[in-house]
Amino acid sequence: MRPNVFRPQSLQEACSLLEEHEEALVYGGGTALQILLKQGILVGSSFIDISGIPGLAEISFTDDFLRVGPMVTLRRMERSEEIRELFSLASSAYAKVANPRVRNTATVGGNIAHGDYRLDPPVALLVLGASVELTSRNSIRKVPLEEFFVDFQVTDISAGEIVTAVEIPRSIHIVGSSFVKLSSLSANDWPSASAAVGLMENDNGVHTLRLALGALAATPVMATVDIRNLNLDQTLEASLSKAMELMDPIADVRGSVKYKLRLGRVAVEEAIRSAWKEVPNGR
Ligand SMILES: Cc1cc2nc3c(=O)[nH]c(=O)nc-3n(C[C@H](O)[C@H](O)[C@H](O)COP(=O)(O)OP(=O)(O)OC[C@H]3O[C@@H](n4cnc5c(N)ncnc54)[C@H](O)[C@@H]3O)c2cc1C
């Protein structure tokens, strides 16, 4: 049977189509969708291709936010100089997804909506305090990324909703950050463990460490650690202890639970040491 592909020209039209055809799947870059359909994990015969809707592939800056449209490719996130300057943590996570062929096609909206526990970009976006905009025919709502990943492969997207933006607040003051991805099969592969770290500063110095983990639990997970007056060794100890509480890895072809727990510790330690080096004048 030939698939039914709708090509709406406005968001309103896309939302109406999604409401009318409940079984329809939004088509971003198709990199995950095609594989899941071939494997029979997803079943779908109707697709809503949102690539023709004006404005959905824009990157813009307001006083408060970096706003990224859902059809912006991962490659553009990796290569944008403005993003690298303001949110280098995001650039480095997007740059580590798969290979340039995938990054040239996959989209920011599709990546978030995919909801896989091993995804790289959400780990950095969690540390950056990002949120997701979801639009349906009758509403627009903004969900903090911390609440967006609900369970294994389950996100907060409801029937009829489309991811219409990912926003990163400009107010978050991170002075040192790092994203570390450790893969056991090949450098381009999904991670066996990943960690992102951001060190937050105010007038009294660095006070909080934001830590997020990928591939180490059923969803990407995040925690904050109070590191006021702690030196590097004390920060490592406090953060690793918090990280171990978050880790509940799933054994698979990329490693056993024991192996992933070990790798998770290594990723966290590496990310903290690397972020620490970026703090101006030490602490
Ligand atoms: C070979 C390979 C290796 C990979 N390795 C990695 C890796 O190492 N790290 C990593 O993070 N990722 C990896 N990925 C996954 C990649 O990041 C995802 O495939 C990609 O981000 C999905 O984006 P897409 O635009 O192609 O989404 P699609 O495939 O189009 O869609 C994915 C899902 O999201 C839904 N969707 C798409 N857009 C929207 C929207 N705007 N609103 C609501 N729902 C939407 C679709 O219906 C579908 O359920 C890999 C993929 C491949 C093929």
Side-chain angles (χ1 to χ4, degrees):
M1 196 174 73
R2 275 174 71 90
N4 200 6
V5 182
F6 299 100
R7 295 196 167 83
Q9 297 302 304
S10 71
L11 199 51
Q12 190 60 29
E13 191 189 346
C15 292
S16 300
L17 281 165
L18 204 51
E19 201 174 89
E20 239 173 83
H21 305 269
E22 269 180 31
E23 77 301 345
L25 296 167
V26 177
Y27 197 97
T31 60
L33 213 43
Q34 295 279 357
I35 291 174
L36 296 174
L37 289 167
K38 274 189 198 147
Q39 291 173 337
I41 294 168
L42 265 185
V43 181
S45 54
S46 297
F47 301 95
I48 300 179
D49 173 358
I50 58 171
S51 62
I53 301 176
L56 294 192
E58 278 174 16
I59 297 175
S60 56
F61 291 87
T62 66
D63 287 345
D64 299 329
F65 295 104
L66 158 66
R67 184 179 164 89
V68 182
M71 291 306 289
V72 171
T73 64
L74 308 192
R75 187 70 161 165
R76 273 182 68 204
M77 294 300 286
E78 167 193 353
R79 295 179 71 97
S80 157
E81 279 179 22
E82 280 168 304
I83 294 178
R84 188 175 308 273
E85 205 169 292
L86 279 172
F87 305 109
S88 61
L89 184 60
S91 310
S92 52
Y94 279 106
K96 291 214 168 97
V97 173
N99 52 56
R101 210 164 57 140
V102 170
R103 297 200 294 277
N104 270 322
T105 311
T107 63
V108 166
N111 180 264
I112 285 281
H114 186 30
D116 195 285
Y117 67 106
R118 301 160 302 176
L119 290 169
D120 295 312
V123 182
L125 294 174
L126 276 166
V127 168
L128 292 168
S131 56
V132 183
E133 183 185 89
L134 298 170
T135 303
S136 65
R137 204 164 70 83
N138 297 317
S139 76
I140 299 179
R141 66 188 179 108
K142 212 163 142 173
V143 182
L145 202 56
E146 274 186 74
E147 293 165 22
F148 180 76
F149 298 105
V150 176
D151 204 344
F152 183 75
Q153 302 280 10
V154 181
T155 68
D156 191 37
I157 304 176
S158 301
E161 286 184 323
I162 298 177
V163 174
T164 43
V166 169
E167 289 185 343
I168 302 179
R170 297 182 73 159
S171 54
I172 193 158
H173 190 48
I174 286 180
V175 280
S177 65
S178 176
F179 174 72
V180 171
K181 168 176 176 169
L182 301 175
S183 306
S184 52
L185 300 183
S186 78
N188 284 343
D189 190 41
W190 290 94
S192 297
S194 69
V197 161
L199 298 170
M200 293 176 70
E201 191 186 48
N202 62 17
D203 291 344
N204 298 321
V206 176
H207 55 89
T208 301
L209 182 146
R210 289 173 71 88
L211 166 74
L213 306 174
L216 289 164
T219 65
V221 283
M222 137 110 200
T224 55
V225 188
D226 185 342
I227 58 164
R228 263 171 298 184
N229 305 321
L230 301 191
N231 63 25
L232 176 57
D233 285 341
Q234 292 164 329
T235 297
L236 283 169
E237 194 185 330
S239 307
L240 281 166
S241 152
K242 192 63 120 311
M244 294 312 285
E245 286 170 23
L246 294 176
M247 291 185 208
D248 185 13
I250 301 162
D252 61 17
V253 65
R254 290 174 180 84
S256 63
V257 168
K258 195 174 165 194
Y259 174 76
K260 289 187 184 181
L261 286 173
R262 175 79 194 111
L263 226 51
R265 283 186 70 91
V266 174
V268 170
E269 180 165 348
E270 228 178 86
I272 293 173
R273 286 188 186 280
S274 163
W276 199 269
K277 283 188 197 146
E278 289 184 4
V279 178
N281 311 319
R283 305 195 63 218

PDB file of all heavy atoms in Angstrom, residues 230-237 269 272-273 276 283:
ATOM      1  N   LEU A 230      33.451  24.229  47.378  1.00  0.00           N
ATOM      2  CA  LEU A 230      34.087  22.920  47.196  1.00  0.00           C
ATOM      3  C   LEU A 230      35.255  23.035  46.215  1.00  0.00           C
ATOM      4  O   LEU A 230      35.162  23.769  45.228  1.00  0.00           O
ATOM      5  CB  LEU A 230      33.104  21.879  46.651  1.00  0.00           C
ATOM      6  CG  LEU A 230      31.842  21.561  47.465  1.00  0.00           C
ATOM      7  CD1 LEU A 230      31.140  20.322  46.895  1.00  0.00           C
ATOM      8  CD2 LEU A 230      32.179  21.336  48.933  1.00  0.00           C
ATOM      9  N   ASN A 231      36.331  22.298  46.472  1.00  0.00           N
ATOM     10  CA  ASN A 231      37.418  22.246  45.494  1.00  0.00           C
ATOM     11  C   ASN A 231      37.101  21.151  44.466  1.00  0.00           C
ATOM     12  O   ASN A 231      36.046  20.489  44.553  1.00  0.00           O
ATOM     13  CB  ASN A 231      38.774  22.042  46.175  1.00  0.00           C
ATOM     14  CG  ASN A 231      38.842  20.703  46.906  1.00  0.00           C
ATOM     15  OD1 ASN A 231      38.123  19.761  46.560  1.00  0.00           O
ATOM     16  ND2 ASN A 231      39.681  20.622  47.925  1.00  0.00           N
ATOM     17  N   LEU A 232      38.010  20.941  43.519  1.00  0.00           N
ATOM     18  CA  LEU A 232      37.719  19.981  42.447  1.00  0.00           C
ATOM     19  C   LEU A 232      37.470  18.574  42.996  1.00  0.00           C
ATOM     20  O   LEU A 232      36.506  17.909  42.605  1.00  0.00           O
ATOM     21  CB  LEU A 232      38.865  19.976  41.421  1.00  0.00           C
ATOM     22  CG  LEU A 232      38.749  18.946  40.295  1.00  0.00           C
ATOM     23  CD1 LEU A 232      37.454  19.109  39.512  1.00  0.00           C
ATOM     24  CD2 LEU A 232      39.943  19.042  39.337  1.00  0.00           C
ATOM     25  N   ASP A 233      38.309  18.117  43.893  1.00  0.00           N
ATOM     26  CA  ASP A 233      38.143  16.748  44.426  1.00  0.00           C
ATOM     27  C   ASP A 233      36.809  16.598  45.154  1.00  0.00           C
ATOM     28  O   ASP A 233      36.108  15.598  45.002  1.00  0.00           O
ATOM     29  CB  ASP A 233      39.303  16.401  45.375  1.00  0.00           C
ATOM     30  CG  ASP A 233      40.572  16.115  44.591  1.00  0.00           C
ATOM     31  OD1 ASP A 233      40.467  15.826  43.376  1.00  0.00           O
ATOM     32  OD2 ASP A 233      41.665  16.213  45.177  1.00  0.00           O
ATOM     33  N   GLN A 234      36.460  17.612  45.932  1.00  0.00           N
ATOM     34  CA  GLN A 234      35.178  17.542  46.674  1.00  0.00           C
ATOM     35  C   GLN A 234      33.997  17.590  45.698  1.00  0.00           C
ATOM     36  O   GLN A 234      32.986  16.930  45.885  1.00  0.00           O
ATOM     37  CB  GLN A 234      35.096  18.701  47.678  1.00  0.00           C
ATOM     38  CG  GLN A 234      36.083  18.573  48.809  1.00  0.00           C
ATOM     39  CD  GLN A 234      36.265  19.896  49.548  1.00  0.00           C
ATOM     40  OE1 GLN A 234      36.157  20.982  48.962  1.00  0.00           O
ATOM     41  NE2 GLN A 234      36.550  19.817  50.837  1.00  0.00           N
ATOM     42  N   THR A 235      34.167  18.402  44.635  1.00  0.00           N
ATOM     43  CA  THR A 235      33.100  18.493  43.631  1.00  0.00           C
ATOM     44  C   THR A 235      32.924  17.149  42.926  1.00  0.00           C
ATOM     45  O   THR A 235      31.792  16.692  42.696  1.00  0.00           O
ATOM     46  CB  THR A 235      33.450  19.591  42.596  1.00  0.00           C
ATOM     47  OG1 THR A 235      33.503  20.837  43.279  1.00  0.00           O
ATOM     48  CG2 THR A 235      32.425  19.668  41.483  1.00  0.00           C
ATOM     49  N   LEU A 236      34.038  16.514  42.605  1.00  0.00           N
ATOM     50  CA  LEU A 236      33.958  15.199  41.951  1.00  0.00           C
ATOM     51  C   LEU A 236      33.237  14.208  42.856  1.00  0.00           C
ATOM     52  O   LEU A 236      32.337  13.474  42.410  1.00  0.00           O
ATOM     53  CB  LEU A 236      35.367  14.684  41.625  1.00  0.00           C
ATOM     54  CG  LEU A 236      36.042  15.311  40.402  1.00  0.00           C
ATOM     55  CD1 LEU A 236      37.523  14.931  40.343  1.00  0.00           C
ATOM     56  CD2 LEU A 236      35.348  14.878  39.120  1.00  0.00           C
ATOM     57  N   GLU A 237      33.599  14.213  44.104  1.00  0.00           N
ATOM     58  CA  GLU A 237      33.004  13.245  45.034  1.00  0.00           C
ATOM     59  C   GLU A 237      31.486  13.469  45.147  1.00  0.00           C
ATOM     60  O   GLU A 237      30.693  12.531  45.021  1.00  0.00           O
ATOM     61  CB  GLU A 237      33.683  13.401  46.397  1.00  0.00           C
ATOM     62  CG  GLU A 237      33.390  12.245  47.325  1.00  0.00           C
ATOM     63  CD  GLU A 237      33.976  12.484  48.722  1.00  0.00           C
ATOM     64  OE1 GLU A 237      35.012  13.170  48.828  1.00  0.00           O
ATOM     65  OE2 GLU A 237      33.370  11.981  49.686  1.00  0.00           O
ATOM     66  N   GLU A 269      33.213  12.047  35.359  1.00  0.00           N
ATOM     67  CA  GLU A 269      34.484  12.597  35.866  1.00  0.00           C
ATOM     68  C   GLU A 269      35.184  13.408  34.764  1.00  0.00           C
ATOM     69  O   GLU A 269      35.656  14.523  35.006  1.00  0.00           O
ATOM     70  CB  GLU A 269      35.394  11.478  36.381  1.00  0.00           C
ATOM     71  CG  GLU A 269      36.686  12.042  36.909  1.00  0.00           C
ATOM     72  CD  GLU A 269      37.489  11.077  37.769  1.00  0.00           C
ATOM     73  OE1 GLU A 269      36.982  10.026  38.179  1.00  0.00           O
ATOM     74  OE2 GLU A 269      38.669  11.417  38.022  1.00  0.00           O
ATOM     75  N   ILE A 272      33.394  16.740  34.209  1.00  0.00           N
ATOM     76  CA  ILE A 272      33.629  17.723  35.286  1.00  0.00           C
ATOM     77  C   ILE A 272      35.043  18.298  35.179  1.00  0.00           C
ATOM     78  O   ILE A 272      35.240  19.522  35.252  1.00  0.00           O
ATOM     79  CB  ILE A 272      33.404  17.091  36.675  1.00  0.00           C
ATOM     80  CG1 ILE A 272      31.930  16.734  36.857  1.00  0.00           C
ATOM     81  CG2 ILE A 272      33.862  18.048  37.787  1.00  0.00           C
ATOM     82  CD1 ILE A 272      31.602  15.960  38.117  1.00  0.00           C
ATOM     83  N   ARG A 273      36.022  17.433  34.983  1.00  0.00           N
ATOM     84  CA  ARG A 273      37.414  17.931  34.895  1.00  0.00           C
ATOM     85  C   ARG A 273      37.559  18.914  33.738  1.00  0.00           C
ATOM     86  O   ARG A 273      38.205  19.943  33.845  1.00  0.00           O
ATOM     87  CB  ARG A 273      38.391  16.758  34.724  1.00  0.00           C
ATOM     88  CG  ARG A 273      38.582  15.966  35.994  1.00  0.00           C
ATOM     89  CD  ARG A 273      39.694  14.934  35.852  1.00  0.00           C
ATOM     90  NE  ARG A 273      39.787  14.092  37.024  1.00  0.00           N
ATOM     91  CZ  ARG A 273      40.390  14.440  38.169  1.00  0.00           C
ATOM     92  NH1 ARG A 273      40.967  15.609  38.272  1.00  0.00           N
ATOM     93  NH2 ARG A 273      40.415  13.623  39.200  1.00  0.00           N
ATOM     94  N   TRP A 276      35.725  22.237  34.465  1.00  0.00           N
ATOM     95  CA  TRP A 276      36.464  22.963  35.514  1.00  0.00           C
ATOM     96  C   TRP A 276      37.582  23.809  34.904  1.00  0.00           C
ATOM     97  O   TRP A 276      37.844  24.931  35.339  1.00  0.00           O
ATOM     98  CB  TRP A 276      37.044  21.944  36.500  1.00  0.00           C
ATOM     99  CG  TRP A 276      37.423  22.501  37.825  1.00  0.00           C
ATOM    100  CD1 TRP A 276      38.639  22.999  38.179  1.00  0.00           C
ATOM    101  CD2 TRP A 276      36.591  22.598  38.980  1.00  0.00           C
ATOM    102  NE1 TRP A 276      38.626  23.403  39.477  1.00  0.00           N
ATOM    103  CE2 TRP A 276      37.385  23.175  40.008  1.00  0.00           C
ATOM    104  CE3 TRP A 276      35.268  22.272  39.262  1.00  0.00           C
ATOM    105  CZ2 TRP A 276      36.880  23.423  41.280  1.00  0.00           C
ATOM    106  CZ3 TRP A 276      34.778  22.516  40.523  1.00  0.00           C
ATOM    107  CH2 TRP A 276      35.562  23.087  41.516  1.00  0.00           C
ATOM    108  N   ARG A 283      39.031  28.968  40.933  1.00  0.00           N
ATOM    109  CA  ARG A 283      37.886  29.302  41.793  1.00  0.00           C
ATOM    110  C   ARG A 283      38.294  30.131  42.989  1.00  0.00           C
ATOM    111  O   ARG A 283      39.350  30.002  43.475  1.00  0.00           O
ATOM    112  CB  ARG A 283      37.236  28.017  42.292  1.00  0.00           C
ATOM    113  CG  ARG A 283      36.863  27.145  41.165  1.00  0.00           C
ATOM    114  CD  ARG A 283      35.920  26.085  41.609  1.00  0.00           C
ATOM    115  NE  ARG A 283      34.705  26.710  42.083  1.00  0.00           N
ATOM    116  CZ  ARG A 283      34.000  26.273  43.142  1.00  0.00           C
ATOM    117  NH1 ARG A 283      34.410  25.281  43.832  1.00  0.00           N
ATOM    118  NH2 ARG A 283      32.880  26.872  43.497  1.00  0.00           N
TER     119      ARG A 283
END
